[in-house]
Amino acid sequence: MKKLLSFLLLLLIVYNTRPLWEEYAEPYVDLSFMDAIGEQVKEARKNPVVIDAVDTVTNKIESWSGIESNQSTVQVEKPALATPDSQMFSVYNVQIGDAKTDVEQEIGTPKRRSQNEYGVDWYAYHENYHNFLMVSYDENNRVNGLYTSHDLISSTEGIALNTPKETVRANLGEPVDKIRKGMTYYILNESEEHDYYHLNGNYVAIFYDVHEQNTVTAIQIIDEDLEKDRKGMYAAASASLKEGFEYQLFDVTNATRLLHGLPVLTWDDQVRETARDHSLDMAKNKYFDHTNLQGESPFDRMEDDGIQFMAAGENLAYGQYSSIFAHEGLMNSAGHRKNILQDDFRFLGVGVAFNEESQPYYTENFFDK
């Protein structure tokens, strides 16, 4: 056993220090054997006899080499949540109408700013995806939008993360079933996977996880003035909205992975282009499928773009109003959920395109290499 342990630790050192020597060795050595070593390392981590030693060596390698794993090692406490004092809901003790300066004094600076479907920006706040929330502000730097999928929800009605749908409806009543935009009524809640409420001058979308007994998995709160300013359910297509949807889907995916004890994914620009091309192809040619009109699979498209991978997966979504709705829908689909919660994946690129009606197509390409 001692010899086996030594051999496995040697493999681990070779594999984890790969970024330090790969560039120099590649012109002279066929490195395909490293894929097999990667599999050995993964198997080693499943063995209870060696797992502690493996983790110890990994930590030492990372400390002297400067190479960090994708594991979220930051220990972050959940904030103490107070009952809202001016609204029915708060997120991380933030309520609609709060000043941006007060928000950032409480929770810090944003990690990302990107355009959303309301024509304003989502500011993403988190600590390596712990305590994740997104906030939008009006022209006076007052909060006019909130979203979270983490245990940051507080309510005067006793609603929080993991509250059953039956409790939500018992406490809040029947949800809104339609919303008017101009001369058009849009039907809401067709899937029963989320409820809309018009409460305290806000539109509240409460999302449920069908795989967790229809309990609350996320909430979005939008000020009614901001909702009224959106003339249709789909925002006008633009380059900034496309990029915004891409990064928002990436962030909410990582926020979900962290909740399930999984390593956060690294953004990959190259596979983002593969994903964008497929979304654009579907939007232009009016189809929705993993296999394109040339008969190419996601794996074919990745290989054509020169992306090397040991494992890969693809998620598609179409027609959802935003990346938030797309993600929550994907999590309620067993196959898509499996990709989102796949431990073997380490990289993700998201590509968005719009059809002639400004309806978005979303492609997520996950992979490991």
Side-chain angles (χ1 to χ4, degrees), residues 132 134 147 247-256 323-324 327:
F132 177 86
M134 296 196 295
Y147 166 83
Y247 284 125
Q248 289 153 26
L249 189 49
F250 174 78
D251 284 342
V252 298
T253 297
N254 269 335
T256 294
S323 289
I324 288 173
H327 172 73

Side-chain angles (χ1 to χ4, degrees), residues 237-285:
S238 69
S240 56
L241 182 60
K242 174 175 70 173
E243 185 173 79
F245 278 173
E246 290 169 348
Y247 284 125
Q248 289 153 26
L249 189 49
F250 174 78
D251 284 342
V252 298
T253 297
N254 269 335
T256 294
R257 284 177 63 89
L258 186 137
L259 287 178
H260 290 264
L262 297 168
V264 298
L265 301 169
T266 299
W267 177 265
D268 188 273
D269 273 322
Q270 186 178 8
V271 85
R272 189 254 294 268
E273 294 305 317
T274 304
R276 275 185 171 180
D277 288 345
H278 188 55
S279 288
L280 183 59
D281 187 42
M282 290 189 293
K284 281 187 172 181
N285 293 294

